[in-house]
Amino acid sequence: MVIAGQYPHLTLTFGLLGNIVSFMVFLSPMPTFYKVYKKKSTEGFQSIPYVVGLFSAMLWIYYALLKGNAMLLITINSVGIVIQTFYICVFLIYAPKKARMESVKLIMLFIVVGFGLIVLLTEFLSKGAKRGVIVGWICLVFSLCVFVAPLGVLRQVIKTKSVEYMPILLSLALTLSAVMWFFYGLLLGDFNIAIPNTLGFTFGIIQIILYFVFKNRKPVINDKISEFKEKMSEMDEPRIPEIKDHNSIDIVKLNATLRPEYTQNPHAVHSPIMANHNIEVAA
């Protein structure tokens, strides 16, 4: 059994490694926002991951301040607040009006209302260590919800048998980060940190396994698209009607013989009969 504070140097090591890996994860959207800056458009990107990231960082800093002895939580989440705020500002500058308004609503919901209520309620309705316990449980539940989010990606990978939309480097970084923070929380004796990261590295390992299982397989969707294109090309092929015998031409000749007025006054003939008359003449 691990006793809190029994391995201070090991705790510090995992905390520092967690800070380094988490910092790399925070920087991972940078190419996306550079593209947004170059094109002056958000191109359908959404702001919710960055608003949620900002809310999470603020929540963990509040918890670390209440708990004490968690300076490494404060350092990395302070950096996270700065980076996520930068991403949100860039998004608001280049997003279309509708997306900008939706982002402002999300900021009001998570940051102003959500975080504001948590701080007010815990400050006025609880005291001492109990306050830290309540905020710790809130952090735990929220972190579990965030770690469950990749289930949608896993479902898509299994359904399509394609890893096209699974960024493997980001998955590796998130898994490594979860491992570091799990051991940091375990050695620190803080299960509000350790438990959510258990789920985090479990889902991370599943994502990595699925990546290596499906990375060389042909996507199911591409197979269906290929079949659809083949059927469409078959439908578009020109079909030339074949005349199997001369019965139709003989019938036209018979009509012309029995009713010679059609040949004498071609203008009185409607178009379908005129077409048959033309065939008879060509014959």
Side-chain angles (χ1 to χ4, degrees):
M1 182 177 178
V2 178
I3 301 174
Q6 188 175 1
Y7 305 101
H9 296 293
L10 203 56
T11 304
L12 179 64
T13 301
F14 278 108
L16 290 173
L17 290 173
N19 271 248
I20 294 169
V21 178
S22 296
F23 179 69
M24 293 169 62
V25 172
F26 280 137
L27 292 179
S28 62
M30 195 65 75
T32 298
F33 281 91
Y34 180 73
K35 187 186 299 183
V36 168
Y37 168 74
K38 293 290 288 184
K39 295 188 176 182
K40 311 299 182 186
S41 171
T42 54
E43 294 187 328
F45 291 114
Q46 295 183 342
S47 63
I48 187 166
Y50 315 107
V51 176
V52 170
L54 177 60
F55 174 74
S56 177
M58 294 172 67
L59 202 57
W60 278 110
I61 286 180
Y62 182 48
Y63 171 70
L65 291 172
L66 292 174
K67 176 183 171 58
N69 191 29
M71 182 56 64
L72 292 175
L73 272 181
I74 295 175
T75 54
I76 188 57
N77 284 291
S78 298
V79 173
I81 286 177
V82 174
I83 295 175
Q84 300 291 1
T85 302
F86 169 76
Y87 291 152
I88 293 170
C89 289
V90 174
F91 185 91
L92 292 175
I93 291 171
Y94 295 110
K97 184 177 180 180
K98 183 178 179 181
R100 190 182 300 120
M101 293 305 298
E102 289 177 354
S103 299
V104 171
K105 290 178 182 178
L106 283 173
I107 293 169
M108 294 295 293
L109 177 64
F110 279 94
I111 308 304
V112 179
V113 178
F115 184 73
L117 282 175
I118 290 172
V119 172
L120 288 174
L121 292 176
T122 52
E123 286 292 331
F124 290 103
L125 299 181
S126 59
K127 295 181 181 180
K130 187 178 180 181
R131 188 180 299 154
V133 173
I134 294 172
V135 177
W137 274 101
I138 294 172
C139 290
L140 189 151
V141 172
F142 183 76
S143 296
L144 287 175
C145 293
V146 171
F147 281 124
V148 167
L151 284 176
V153 177
L154 298 181
R155 180 177 175 274
Q156 185 181 18
V157 170
I158 295 170
K159 184 177 180 181
T160 62
K161 294 181 172 57
S162 170
V163 293
E164 181 181 359
Y165 298 104
M166 180 189 287
I168 185 60
L169 293 178
L170 181 59
S171 297
L172 285 169
L174 288 171
T175 304
L176 188 59
S177 174
V179 170
M180 298 303 163
W181 287 113
F182 165 75
F183 283 109
Y184 175 77
L186 185 66
L187 294 169
L188 198 63
D190 192 332
F191 293 99
N192 292 321
I193 301 173
I195 291 175
N197 285 288
T198 305
L199 197 63
F201 71 71
T202 301
F203 284 141
I205 291 170
I206 293 173
Q207 286 186 58
I208 293 168
I209 292 172
L210 287 176
Y211 178 84
F212 286 104
V213 169
F214 293 116
K215 70 173 184 174
N216 294 322
R217 292 197 184 185
K218 191 175 181 181
V220 173
I221 293 178
N222 289 347
D223 290 341
K224 293 181 179 180
I225 291 173
S226 300
E227 293 175 4
F228 178 74
K229 287 181 177 179
E230 288 178 4
K231 290 181 181 179
M232 291 299 295
S233 62
E234 290 175 2
M235 293 175 63
D236 292 337
E237 289 180 358
R239 297 182 179 179
I240 303 174
E242 296 181 358
I243 300 176
K244 296 182 179 180
D245 51 40
H246 297 282
N247 292 337
S248 59
I249 298 178
D250 293 338
I251 292 172
V252 174
K253 290 180 178 179
L254 181 61
N255 287 336
T257 304
L258 294 175
R259 303 180 67 180
E261 65 270 20
Y262 286 158
T263 58
Q264 295 174 3
N265 187 10
H267 297 286
V269 182
H270 295 290
S271 57
I273 302 177
M274 176 62 76
N276 288 337
H277 182 68
N278 290 335
I279 294 175
E280 187 271 332
V281 172

